[in-house]
Amino acid sequence: MGDEGILVGSLFEPGYWMSIAAGPLRILTAKNLLLDNLNKNVVEDNLARATLPDGLDALRVEMELGDVMRLIERTARWVDPATFRLLPLWYPEYARKCLFYKENWTAPQLNKGEHKQEGNTYANRALTHALGLRSDNRPNWSCCHIWGVDDALFQETNVVVQDRRFFSCVGNMVLLPTPLKAFTDTVPEVKAMIRICARALYGWHCDHESLVETVAVIDRWDDWGAYPVSWPRGLGDGKLPPGVVPLNNDIRNDAVRRLARIRQDLEDAGPHYPRDQVREALAYWKVAI
């Protein structure tokens, strides 16, 4: 090549411009270098996108559905059917995205100037107490709603958990180790099998109008290969999942206190307490107030 060379490197590397002054080099312009790098990145990005499979498909190559279900079978914590019958709905005043109030429902609760909305706080609280736990002794466990709008991309409005009848219903929730929650959010077969178990366990399925096809799916379910052997398939088969937490005095006392507080709030809470909606939700569950 003689004394002539080609300078290829970053415009921002130390010594780049000193190299230019040091000898007779044929210099690639900054524009060409940037275009070359850009084209290279585009090609690499396209190759990456073209070869990346759906994440669920990639997982299925490495793990059988039965393996996932065995993890859930061994670790899930379920509310006792007796607890569900004692008090199916623990916080009828709340639903997803409802507004928070403070000072006994007299003043808006704000967060950085915006009216604070419910996310999953009182559903979590209901499940925690119905399992005889406290929030500070269940690290890395997540409350998972069983019945809801299926939307793995979280782009649709979940009208089921925005309904006070179902948001804090303890027959509509299961407690799972947090990493396993992703399966209940995204894998249709996992959702279906948990719903089959819950319907058999509590003798109830969510009858929200948006879930007609969801219920139809489990009505015609016939793929039992990955279904946990310890879970009930239908009413009356006598099985309890291994993670059912039996109703005890602590849980019973919490339920009694919660219902007493609902009755008190219906009488004494401030003007923003949703009395009509609370009465309607409790009437659905035939809870006497």
Side-chain angles (χ1 to χ4, degrees):
M1 197 191 298
D3 292 331
E4 183 177 354
I6 299 176
L7 182 64
V8 287
S10 170
L11 296 168
F12 305 103
E13 287 178 2
Y16 182 89
W17 299 108
M18 291 177 63
S19 297
I20 294 176
L25 298 173
R26 179 165 59 83
I27 302 171
L28 294 178
T29 66
K31 179 179 178 181
N32 287 338
L33 284 170
L34 292 173
L35 286 174
D36 286 347
N37 287 334
L38 178 60
N39 290 335
K40 180 182 178 183
N41 290 337
V42 168
V43 170
E44 290 176 349
D45 287 348
N46 285 337
L47 286 173
R49 284 196 292 269
T51 58
L52 188 63
D54 181 286
L56 294 181
D57 292 336
L59 189 62
R60 287 185 179 105
V61 171
E62 303 299 330
M63 179 180 288
E64 297 288 339
L65 179 60
D67 297 331
V68 175
M69 293 310 299
R70 278 188 289 275
L71 288 173
I72 294 173
E73 177 187 20
R74 293 196 298 266
T75 60
R77 297 294 183 266
W78 303 84
V79 171
D80 192 329
T83 304
F84 171 72
R85 291 191 293 269
L86 177 65
L87 187 61
L89 190 69
W90 285 54
Y91 291 94
E93 63 269 47
Y94 291 106
R96 179 80 53 82
K97 291 192 174 181
C98 77
L99 299 176
F100 279 132
Y101 291 89
K102 59 184 179 179
E103 298 170 7
N104 197 25
W105 295 85
T106 62
Q109 185 173 340
L110 304 181
N111 182 20
K112 298 181 180 178
E114 299 290 333
H115 203 155
K116 190 174 180 181
Q117 295 183 334
E118 167 66 294
N120 220 36
T121 301
Y122 283 92
N124 256 305
R125 190 169 296 181
L127 181 60
T128 299
H129 286 275
L131 291 172
L133 303 171
R134 294 295 179 266
S135 58
D136 58 357
N137 64 3
R138 41 160 279 195
N140 296 311
W141 291 83
S142 290
C143 165
C144 303
H145 279 100
I146 296 168
W147 302 96
V149 174
D150 292 338
D151 175 27
L153 298 178
F154 302 101
Q155 294 177 345
E156 296 182 38
T157 299
N158 196 333
V159 292
V160 176
V161 294
Q162 289 184 9
D163 190 318
R164 286 179 168 84
R165 295 174 298 172
F166 310 123
F167 177 67
S168 65
C169 168
V170 295
N172 188 27
M173 292 180 278
V174 62
L175 192 69
L176 289 175
T178 298
L180 294 182
K181 186 178 186 300
F183 292 106
T184 68
D185 286 340
T186 59
V187 182
E189 299 92 336
V190 173
K191 295 180 184 183
M193 285 186 272
I194 287 177
R195 287 166 178 164
I196 291 168
C197 179
R199 181 166 69 169
L201 183 61
Y202 302 116
W204 170 82
H205 68 255
C206 184
D207 56 4
H208 192 279
E209 60 186 10
S210 68
L211 297 181
V212 173
E213 179 54 30
T214 297
V215 175
V217 166
I218 65 172
D219 282 342
R220 58 178 180 260
W221 188 268
D222 61 359
D223 184 6
W224 303 105
Y227 192 83
V229 296
S230 67
W231 285 8
R233 296 186 183 185
L235 282 173
D237 70 2
K239 289 184 177 180
L240 284 179
V244 168
V245 177
L247 173 63
N248 57 36
N249 286 335
D250 286 341
I251 297 171
R252 187 184 304 277
N253 291 337
D254 275 349
V256 169
R257 282 192 293 267
R258 180 86 278 276
L259 185 55
R261 179 58 187 268
I262 293 169
R263 290 168 175 158
Q264 179 183 341
D265 285 343
L266 283 167
E267 295 292 329
D268 302 332
H272 298 294
Y273 187 79
R275 288 173 172 80
D276 291 343
Q277 295 94 322
V278 167
R279 289 190 178 100
E280 290 171 4
L282 293 175
Y284 171 88
W285 290 105
K286 297 180 174 56
V287 175
I289 53 174

